[in-house]
């Protein structure tokens, strides 16, 4: 998810953080994507194989 | 009088039942200790001194008249301030709920109240049990760790852990979505029990996730935890008949089979040498008590933590989305930033997490075949410095990697944090004991036996 997609997804649920806040939140989201979500997606891929 | 504050619930209950201990004197002792120490440690957000004393006088009259209700009667306790109390402020640790006074008791408090427990007051929590620690302007936090005020007290049940360790209440109710009873219990050197899912009712407790939220007792001893749980537990048919948790075990663990999941702290999340040594020592104690202790492997810790985190973030966001959108500036950054991440969890990812939960629960059942209990690490190290919990890395810690505690939330399985010694600096060490869902009594029985033959319950923090 790009930064713009991230901002748009938050805006869709009515959340519009300041620019600096958005940077921190996007960094956290990237860590989640490379952490927990990658684990889930990897396992789903392995299961499909 | 403060020596009364270091009685266990079990000891106080015996004395109260025998009319050797006045409920009024007991409550007065706790109020005096709170008066002396809570200004420094800030465990309580709301004290009900006069009302607690009135309740103690009523208990004293009832007991004198032969209306003794059982081991929780006249026992002074505290509740994490996300547990609703009718007519008593419950603000969920949040500016959003400032001035909120519920009109109904939470289910678990209603049961404790019916058992005669006396509510001293409401205890600190991280905001809605997800945002913390919340730093004050001077860099300190509320509910300081009594073993070192520069140390993290754990969360989100920070007030209960600190208050019990300090002897400001005999027991407390905490909640646990990913370790929020067990981690502060470990860092503050007390006993914390996350029961099987459904054993303690969640009605009237601010939710994060109906799937993985739990409420349970936080006490100085495991025996006290058993007494509190017996009073709090719902008669849930799915869990089978309520175990007779208050029965005093004889300490003999022969016939109990304990798996030792050493790989969690030796491979998955390396524990410090002192914590690892405490785990080996605990395994040895259980073996000397007659249990069969054998190494085993639990399901993948990273997968279980990932499933638990994704499920609770998605469910928590669903619950708080309107308040996030409408009152963004009123939230503390840690709480709102974590909750907002749930908005980004896709239906696909949530489905994967739910499927992963089913698979992990099955794998846990397979791993536990032949075992009654499992011994694992609870935290990889003693309470970290508070300064290490400040800033983004602390937020990232929730979303990134595995932890020892969340798997038991995912499995709905009982798990307890048990103090297992102290490091060279005097900070508490801890181990975790878990079991299949519904086997809380086995966890408590083993924990009680362990505490009786180890010296760790004799050492309190010196404020």
């Amino acid at each position: 998810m790009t930064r713009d997609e991230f901002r748009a997804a938050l805006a869709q649920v009515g959340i519009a953080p300041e620019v600096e806040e958005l940077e921190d939140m996007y960094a956290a989201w990237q860590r989640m994507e490379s952490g927990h979500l990658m684990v889930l997606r990897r396992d789903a891929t392995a299961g499909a194989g | 009088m403060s020596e009364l504050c270091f009685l266990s619930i079990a000891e106080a209950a015996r004395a109260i039942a025998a009319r050797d201990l006045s409920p009024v004197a007991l409550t007065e002792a706790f109020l005096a200790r709170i008066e002396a120490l809570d200004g420094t440690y800030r465990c309580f957000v709301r004290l009900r001194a006069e009302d607690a004393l009135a309740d103690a006088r009523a208990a004293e009259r009832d007991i004198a008249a032969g209306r003794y209700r059982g081991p929780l009667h006249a026992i002074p306790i505290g509740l994490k301030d996300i547990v609703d109390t009718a007519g008593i402020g419950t603000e969920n640790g949040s500016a959003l709920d400032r001035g909120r006074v519920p009109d109904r008791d939470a289910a678990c408090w209603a049961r404790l109240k019916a058992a005669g427990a006396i509510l001293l007051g409401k205890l600190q929590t991280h905001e809605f049990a997800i945002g913390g620690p919340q730093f004050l302007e001077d860099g300190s936090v509320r509910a300081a760790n009594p073993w070192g005020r520069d140390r993290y007290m754990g969360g989100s049940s920070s007030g209960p852990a600190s208050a019990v360790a300090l002897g400001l209440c005999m027991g407390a109710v905490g909640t646990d979505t990913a370790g929020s009873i067990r981690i502060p219990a470990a860092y503050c050197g007390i006993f914390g029990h996350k029961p099987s899912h459904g054993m303690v009712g969640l009605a009237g407790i601010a939710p994060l996730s109906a799937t993985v939220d739990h409420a349970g007792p936080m006490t100085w001893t495991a025996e006290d935890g058993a007494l509190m749980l017996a009073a709090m537990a719902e008669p849930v048919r799915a869990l089978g008949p309520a175990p007779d948790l208050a029965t005093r075990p004889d300490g003999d663990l022969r016939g109990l089979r304990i798996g030792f999941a050493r790989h969690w702290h030796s491979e998955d999340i390396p524990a410090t040498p002192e914590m690892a040594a405490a785990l080996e020592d605990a395994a040895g104690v259980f073996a000397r008590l007659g249990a069969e202790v054998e190494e085993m492997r639990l399901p993948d810790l990273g997968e279980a933590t990932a499933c638990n985190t994704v499920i609770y973030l998605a469910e928590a966001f669903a619950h708080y989305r309107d308040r996030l959108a409408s009152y963004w500036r009123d939230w503390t950054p840690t709480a709102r930033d974590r909750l907002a991440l749930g908005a980004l969890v896709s239906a696909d990812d949530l489905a994967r997490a739910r499927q992963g939960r089913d698979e992990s629960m099955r794998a846990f059942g397979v791993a536990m075949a032949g075992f009654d209990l499992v011994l694992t690490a609870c935290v990889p190290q003693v309470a970290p410095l508070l300064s290490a919990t400040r800033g983004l890395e602390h937020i990232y810690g929730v979303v990134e990697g595995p932890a020892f505690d969340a798997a038991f939330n995912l499995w709905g399985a009982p798990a307890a944090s048990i103090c297992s010694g102290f490091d060279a600096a005097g900070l508490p060490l801890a181990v975790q004991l878990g079991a299949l869902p519904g086997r809380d009594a086995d966890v408590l029985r083993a924990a009680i036996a362990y505490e009786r033959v180890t010296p760790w319950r004799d050492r309190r923090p010196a404020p």
Side-chain angles (χ1 to χ4, degrees):
Chain A
M1 185 183 291
T2 66
R3 185 181 283 96
D4 284 343
E5 289 169 338
F6 180 79
R7 180 172 38 225
L10 287 178
Q12 205 163 22
V13 294
I15 295 173
E18 302 288 341
V19 173
E20 195 174 309
E21 293 168 357
L22 187 81
E23 284 305 308
D24 291 346
M25 292 172 69
Y26 184 57
W29 173 253
Q30 287 181 305
R31 299 280 277 263
M32 184 149 159
E33 280 199 307
S34 63
H36 292 326
L37 292 176
M38 193 178 78
V39 169
L40 292 181
R41 292 166 186 168
R42 178 196 67 201
D43 292 347
T45 306
Chain B
M1 228 160 60
S2 69
E3 66 271 15
L4 294 180
C5 302
F6 300 116
L7 292 174
S8 69
I9 292 175
E11 291 167 338
R14 284 192 287 275
I16 289 168
R19 300 187 203 174
D20 291 334
L21 175 58
S22 153
V24 175
L26 185 64
T27 295
E28 284 176 342
F30 278 97
L31 291 173
R33 189 164 173 83
I34 291 166
E35 173 72 23
L37 293 178
D38 201 51
T40 301
Y41 289 91
R42 295 180 288 211
C43 301
F44 282 86
V45 293
R46 203 159 298 100
L47 197 60
R48 54 187 302 274
E50 289 306 314
D51 290 337
L53 273 175
D55 292 346
R57 288 187 204 102
E60 193 152 303
R61 285 194 299 273
D62 283 349
I63 293 165
R67 294 190 293 272
Y68 179 64
R69 295 190 212 170
L72 267 289
H73 202 173
I75 297 298
I77 67 164
L79 300 173
K80 183 177 181 178
D81 201 31
I82 66 167
V83 178
D84 277 356
T85 41
I88 302 166
T90 306
E91 297 182 341
N92 299 316
S94 178
L96 278 82
D97 279 343
R98 194 161 292 149
R100 176 179 176 271
V101 181
D103 56 13
R104 296 184 67 175
D105 287 325
C108 64
W109 166 232
R111 288 187 173 279
L112 288 166
K113 191 159 71 172
I118 290 176
L119 182 63
L120 292 171
K122 306 298 289 290
L123 295 162
Q124 292 282 359
T125 171
H126 293 177
E127 186 173 23
F128 287 103
I130 195 170
Q134 287 153 248
F135 286 88
L136 305 176
E137 281 185 3
D138 64 359
S140 67
V141 292
R142 296 192 173 90
N145 189 326
W147 299 94
R149 282 189 283 151
D150 59 342
R151 295 281 167 170
Y152 185 37
M153 78 306 291
S156 59
S157 304
S158 51
S162 181
V164 169
L166 279 165
L168 302 187
C169 58
M170 292 191 128
V173 173
T175 62
D176 191 320
T177 304
S180 284
I181 285 175
R182 290 159 287 157
I183 294 169
Y187 288 165
C188 293
I190 69 165
F191 176 80
H193 184 84
K194 183 201 79 62
S196 298
H197 193 255
M199 181 168 269
V200 174
L202 296 173
I205 296 178
L208 287 175
S209 160
T211 306
V212 296
D213 280 350
H214 299 72
M218 300 175 75
T219 50
W220 184 248
T221 69
E223 183 179 20
D224 288 357
L227 292 171
M228 275 192 75
L229 184 59
M232 295 165 70
E234 299 277 337
V236 179
R237 195 172 298 165
L239 294 173
D244 185 6
L245 297 172
T247 300
R248 289 177 60 84
D250 58 11
D252 185 347
L253 297 185
R254 272 179 295 184
L256 206 64
R257 298 154 301 171
I258 301 180
F260 186 12
R262 191 183 273 118
H263 67 105
W264 270 15
H265 68 271
S266 65
E267 299 170 23
D268 296 351
I269 310 172
T272 59
E274 284 175 306
M275 197 64 85
L279 278 149
E280 298 296 332
D281 288 348
V285 170
F286 287 123
R288 285 195 293 282
L289 285 165
E292 294 172 41
V293 181
E294 187 182 324
E295 186 154 4
M296 56 96 87
R297 293 187 76 85
L298 285 174
D300 188 279
L301 189 57
E303 290 172 14
T305 309
C307 293
N308 196 71
T309 307
V310 167
I311 289 169
Y312 88 69
L313 284 178
E315 293 185 8
F317 175 74
H319 188 80
Y320 292 107
R321 64 180 293 164
D322 290 344
R323 300 185 87 185
L324 278 171
S326 301
Y327 304 103
W328 182 252
R329 296 275 149 233
D330 295 328
W331 290 82
T332 55
T334 306
R336 75 184 186 202
D337 289 358
R338 286 176 175 164
L339 285 169
L341 292 177
L344 286 305
V345 173
S346 68
D348 284 351
D349 286 329
L350 185 56
R352 288 185 190 108
R354 291 196 176 282
Q355 184 183 345
R357 174 175 178 251
D358 290 347
E359 291 167 2
S360 187
M361 287 172 82
R362 270 195 299 276
F364 179 52
V366 171
M368 289 299 289
F371 294 105
D372 300 293
L373 297 171
V374 60
L375 173 66
T376 77
C378 183
V379 287
Q381 77 290 310
V382 296
L385 286 167
L386 258 178
S387 54
T389 68
R390 194 160 198 167
L392 291 177
E393 288 302 320
H394 186 57
I395 299 174
Y396 295 154
V398 169
V399 300
E400 198 168 40
F404 293 131
D405 313 275
F408 289 96
N409 296 77
L410 189 77
W411 301 329
S417 172
I418 307 163
C419 181
S420 58
F422 298 86
D423 75 355
L427 295 167
L429 301 160
V431 300
Q432 179 168 237
L433 210 50
L436 286 168
R439 302 286 296 273
D440 297 64
D442 285 338
V443 173
L444 291 159
R445 175 185 162 212
I448 292 167
Y450 173 85
E451 288 183 353
R452 288 201 176 143
V453 297
T454 52
W456 317 127
R457 294 303 74 199
D458 300 334
R459 187 165 167 182
R460 290 270 190 169

